[in-house]
Amino acid sequence: SDLFRPRRCLIAHNDSHNAPAFTAGRIEEEIEPLRDSDFEYFCWEGGGGVVTWPSKGARRYGEDMTHFPTALDRQIIENLQRLEAEGKDPIVMARDHARKIGLKFLIAPRMEAFGVPPPLDELFNSTIFNEHPEWRCITREGEEIPRMSYAYPEVQDCVLEQYQEVLGYEPDGLSLMFNRGAPYLLYEQPLVDGFKERTGQDPHELDEWDEEWIQYRCDVMTGFMRRVRKLLDELPPDGGAPLELIAFVL
């Protein structure tokens, strides 16, 4: 009976920013304690700004760098390079061991990890952040902040291209981390113009918690999530279950 069947209801998350983990065998050691536990999913963080896999459009973590903001980052990058020289891929290692012990494996991109303040900017700032300040979020007062806005189709396209790349690792789905780096859109010109066209109102003249203005911005993010779902539906595993989509929110 389903009533008495054990239910696994926990999700484990590894942010993949751990120097000892990126050595042969240690990735498996970090996952192994989840065997025969209440955990159903193991999420491996990857993507958002810089990435740890060969990418066509995104910067690789530590690419072309000789000086690092912390000793930890140097150790992680050196260990990653050693793994790669041995022909080993940490995402593959994490995926295979998670599945070996009966867990579903998800890739967990940060939704707003495009740019960070100094002294970490040289290491973590993404290509799109450095090259396209015109796509950044704008506050109600008209000030640019270090966030990329999903109001711009180009930002959404960049993110989806990254998802398509990482789905090549054949995970069981994606776990989107909305709890890292909000906000995702504010008062960018496409939003302001679109809202004026729909309602005849300037959102700058409304309360920032105006329900109609908030709903308008929600519709933009809903549209993005539909694009993610469509991407997952177009890449089903051979003979397997549909790819899952999980969202961690504030």
Side-chain angles (χ1 to χ4, degrees), residues 155-186:
V155 173
Q156 294 190 20
D157 292 344
C158 176
V159 173
L160 289 169
E161 287 170 8
Q162 202 177 101
Y163 293 174
Q164 187 154 16
E165 283 186 346
V166 80
L167 287 170
Y169 282 99
E170 300 182 349
D172 296 298
L174 297 177
S175 172
L176 306 186
M177 298 183 64
F178 282 93
N179 58 331
R180 298 300 298 265
Y184 306 99
L185 35 73
L186 289 173

Side-chain angles (χ1 to χ4, degrees), residues 53-118:
W53 65 85
S55 173
K56 294 180 181 178
R59 282 185 62 216
R60 294 194 75 180
Y61 177 56
E63 185 177 53
D64 300 325
M65 292 188 65
T66 56
H67 297 81
F68 303 93
T70 70
L72 172 65
D73 290 302
R74 175 184 289 277
Q75 292 169 359
I76 293 172
I77 290 164
E78 289 176 350
N79 287 347
L80 277 170
Q81 291 171 343
R82 277 194 287 269
L83 275 180
E84 188 169 322
E86 296 170 4
K88 298 174 181 176
D89 188 315
I91 298 178
V92 171
M93 297 166 72
R95 179 199 67 193
D96 290 353
H97 196 72
R99 287 178 172 160
K100 180 180 178 181
I101 64 174
L103 300 174
K104 294 180 181 178
F105 178 77
L106 304 179
I107 299 291
R110 294 189 186 186
M111 299 299 293
E112 192 63 73
F114 301 105
V116 298

Side-chain angles (χ1 to χ4, degrees), residues 17-214:
H17 195 251
N18 181 330
F22 289 118
T23 54
R26 289 297 299 273
I27 290 176
E28 291 89 338
E29 288 178 18
E30 294 210 350
I31 303 172
E32 181 61 30
L34 303 178
R35 184 192 292 267
D36 300 323
S37 70
D38 289 334
F39 287 89
E40 180 175 5
Y41 296 93
F42 178 76
C43 303
W44 184 263
E45 192 168 314
V50 296
V51 301
T52 57
W53 65 85
S55 173
K56 294 180 181 178
R59 282 185 62 216
R60 294 194 75 180
Y61 177 56
E63 185 177 53
D64 300 325
M65 292 188 65
T66 56
H67 297 81
F68 303 93
T70 70
L72 172 65
D73 290 302
R74 175 184 289 277
Q75 292 169 359
I76 293 172
I77 290 164
E78 289 176 350
N79 287 347
L80 277 170
Q81 291 171 343
R82 277 194 287 269
L83 275 180
E84 188 169 322
E86 296 170 4
K88 298 174 181 176
D89 188 315
I91 298 178
V92 171
M93 297 166 72
R95 179 199 67 193
D96 290 353
H97 196 72
R99 287 178 172 160
K100 180 180 178 181
I101 64 174
L103 300 174
K104 294 180 181 178
F105 178 77
L106 304 179
I107 299 291
R110 294 189 186 186
M111 299 299 293
E112 192 63 73
F114 301 105
V116 298
L120 301 175
D121 53 334
E122 186 177 355
L123 178 59
F124 287 108
N125 277 11
S126 63
T127 301
I128 187 174
F129 182 83
N130 288 333
E131 295 183 356
H132 294 283
E134 71 275 16
W135 296 337
R136 295 179 189 171
C137 288
I138 303 295
T139 67
R140 181 187 179 95
E141 295 73 29
E143 297 178 357
E144 176 189 299
I145 65 170
R147 295 287 183 270
M148 302 304 289
S149 173
Y150 283 75
Y152 294 101
E154 296 88 348
V155 173
Q156 294 190 20
D157 292 344
C158 176
V159 173
L160 289 169
E161 287 170 8
Q162 202 177 101
Y163 293 174
Q164 187 154 16
E165 283 186 346
V166 80
L167 287 170
Y169 282 99
E170 300 182 349
D172 296 298
L174 297 177
S175 172
L176 306 186
M177 298 183 64
F178 282 93
N179 58 331
R180 298 300 298 265
Y184 306 99
L185 35 73
L186 289 173
Y187 286 79
E188 296 74 59
Q189 202 61 47
L191 293 175
V192 173
D193 292 344
F195 188 74
K196 284 181 179 178
E197 183 177 349
R198 177 183 292 187
T199 68
Q201 301 180 90
D202 184 342
H204 295 95
E205 298 173 358
L206 303 174
D207 185 273
E208 64 179 324
W209 294 106
D210 179 84
E211 290 188 9
E212 194 170 14
W213 170 233
I214 290 176

